[in-house]
Amino acid sequence: MYLEFNIEHSILVPVITEVMVSLLLVLGGYFYGKYRERQKEKGKNLDEYDFYPFEVDNNNFPQFSIKDFRLAVHYFLKNKDYTAARQLIFIGEQNHVRNHLESAELKQYEKLYHTYHGSKIEYDNNEFLENYKRIVHLLGLTFKNMGIEILLHNLMNPARSIMEIENGEVTGRKIGMGTTTLVLDLKKRKELKEDKLNYELNIGSRRFKCTTIPIYRENYGLIGAICINIDINYINEGVLKTKDRLHEFFKNYCATEMALDENILSKDEFEKAKNGKKHWREH
């Protein structure tokens, strides 16, 4: 019996040891692979390169530059930068770049596309911004018919940046339209640690109060922005000048679509509300 135990023990120990070593090697390989993957994805944003494929026209609107795009393709095939190359592919796909490239150039682009897993790029970014689309949609409906526009820019593609807009009649813009030099301006303000909050825009006879909220994503940098634009002339001349228009504005302001039974007040404010306090400035 003792001899049998020793034989089994002598066989079992090296087997267990071998299994443990194999598991450690597999785990080590897994974590090393993850580390290599993270290292691989480090890089600069595309707009930090001289061949950023957009140029501003005479009206201060960005236009896709096929010349700079070609330069970027050749560069990233020779010099690995997963962040900038993926941004380049995203912009290329949105601007139907395959229709602008000659046969030899198209082969080079296809090589770049597969090297940097292009099929996942647009899907991943749109999925990332999907929840922001819902935020913009619901906020816009909250301020309907009040001269307050709320929109979402997808800044991976400045020429067709607007991917969601509510109350677009305020500026006349629609989904699929582009932005001006918003990318460069937001990057400059980030360096200066300035928020783009409550700023005034005067365009011809139009006047707006605006706030722009940048959206950043790891390994991509600035990819989007939520903008709030308030038509100041409408407020001053279309609302405040007559009692009827003022009444209509605040009727829209206070309009609701449902009533729920839930509490959003602090404990102290809840007690005061039950005792008759009607609004936040009432003591």
Side-chain angles (χ1 to χ4, degrees):
M1 190 81 160
Y2 178 74
L3 182 60
E4 288 178 0
F5 175 78
N6 279 342
I7 292 172
E8 290 176 359
H9 185 264
S10 64
I11 295 172
L12 195 58
V13 169
V15 170
I16 293 174
T17 303
E18 188 174 336
V19 170
M20 293 297 292
V21 170
S22 298
L23 285 172
L24 288 172
L25 287 172
V26 169
L27 287 172
Y30 172 79
F31 287 114
Y32 180 71
K34 286 292 184 183
Y35 169 78
R36 291 277 294 178
E37 200 173 287
R38 285 195 299 270
Q39 291 298 107
K40 207 168 55 169
E41 291 180 354
K42 289 182 179 178
K44 297 193 296 184
N45 286 312
L46 183 58
D47 57 17
E48 295 179 54
Y49 287 94
D50 292 336
F51 44 68
Y52 184 62
F54 283 96
E55 51 192 10
V56 179
D57 64 17
N58 293 332
N59 295 315
N60 208 30
F61 280 89
Q63 299 296 326
F64 180 66
S65 170
I66 189 64
K67 177 184 174 183
D68 288 324
F69 187 88
R70 291 189 188 105
L71 291 173
V73 169
H74 291 298
Y75 180 87
F76 292 128
L77 283 173
K78 295 179 180 179
N79 304 276
K80 298 298 182 184
D81 186 329
Y82 277 72
T83 297
R86 287 172 179 173
Q87 291 175 3
L88 180 73
I89 291 168
F90 186 91
I91 290 172
E93 291 299 303
Q94 289 294 314
N95 285 277
H96 307 290
V97 73
R98 287 179 171 85
N99 298 332
H100 302 288
L101 295 173
E102 296 178 3
S103 179
E105 295 168 338
L106 184 57
K107 287 180 181 179
Q108 291 295 300
Y109 176 64
E110 291 290 358
K111 183 178 178 181
L112 181 87
Y113 188 89
H114 292 296
T115 299
Y116 292 97
H117 310 292
S119 59
K120 288 191 63 182
I121 294 171
E122 182 178 351
Y123 175 81
D124 288 347
N125 279 281
N126 287 343
E127 186 178 46
F128 183 85
L129 289 171
E130 194 63 33
N131 196 48
Y132 291 95
K133 283 179 64 176
R134 183 168 177 79
I135 290 170
V136 165
H137 175 66
L138 293 179
L139 282 176
L141 292 179
T142 301
F143 299 108
K144 193 174 181 180
N145 298 320
M146 297 178 64
I148 302 173
E149 175 187 83
I150 302 179
L151 60 92
L152 173 64
H153 283 294
N154 182 345
L155 295 178
M156 295 289 288
N157 181 17
R160 294 186 179 89
S161 64
I162 299 177
M163 64 183 300
E164 186 71 21
I165 186 167
E166 289 295 335
N167 311 323
E169 63 274 7
V170 171
T171 63
R173 289 179 294 178
K174 298 177 182 178
I175 291 173
M177 290 185 175
T179 179
T180 54
T181 53
L182 184 58
V183 173
L184 299 177
D185 184 60
L186 286 174
K187 285 185 172 295
K188 178 182 176 182
R189 290 179 184 278
K190 184 183 180 184
E191 293 297 320
L192 297 172
K193 297 182 179 179
E194 292 179 353
D195 289 322
K196 203 169 181 183
L197 173 69
N198 291 334
Y199 59 94
E200 183 176 333
L201 286 180
N202 295 288
I203 308 169
S205 299
R206 303 290 301 274
R207 183 182 171 211
F208 299 93
K209 173 184 175 180
C210 308
T211 289
T212 300
I213 306 164
I215 301 170
Y216 294 95
R217 185 181 179 193
E218 188 178 3
N219 295 328
Y220 283 88
L222 179 69
I223 67 161
I226 293 176
C227 298
I228 304 169
N229 304 309
I230 302 173
D231 192 329
I232 296 300
N233 287 345
Y234 169 70
I235 303 297
N236 288 334
E237 300 175 18
V239 174
L240 296 178
K241 286 203 169 181
T242 71
K243 185 176 180 181
D244 288 343
R245 290 179 179 176
L246 188 63
H247 175 76
E248 181 185 359
F249 180 84
F250 282 104
K251 184 179 179 181
N252 288 327
Y253 183 84
C254 298
T256 60
E257 296 181 5
M258 64 182 73
L260 300 178
D261 183 18
E262 59 183 60
N263 175 44
I264 61 171
L265 297 172
S266 68
K267 186 177 180 180
D268 289 342
E269 286 297 308
F270 181 70
E271 291 300 323
K272 291 176 183 177
K274 290 200 299 184
N275 291 326
K277 181 177 179 179
K278 293 183 178 180
H279 59 78
W280 65 280
R281 280 193 167 177
E282 189 174 80
H283 298 291

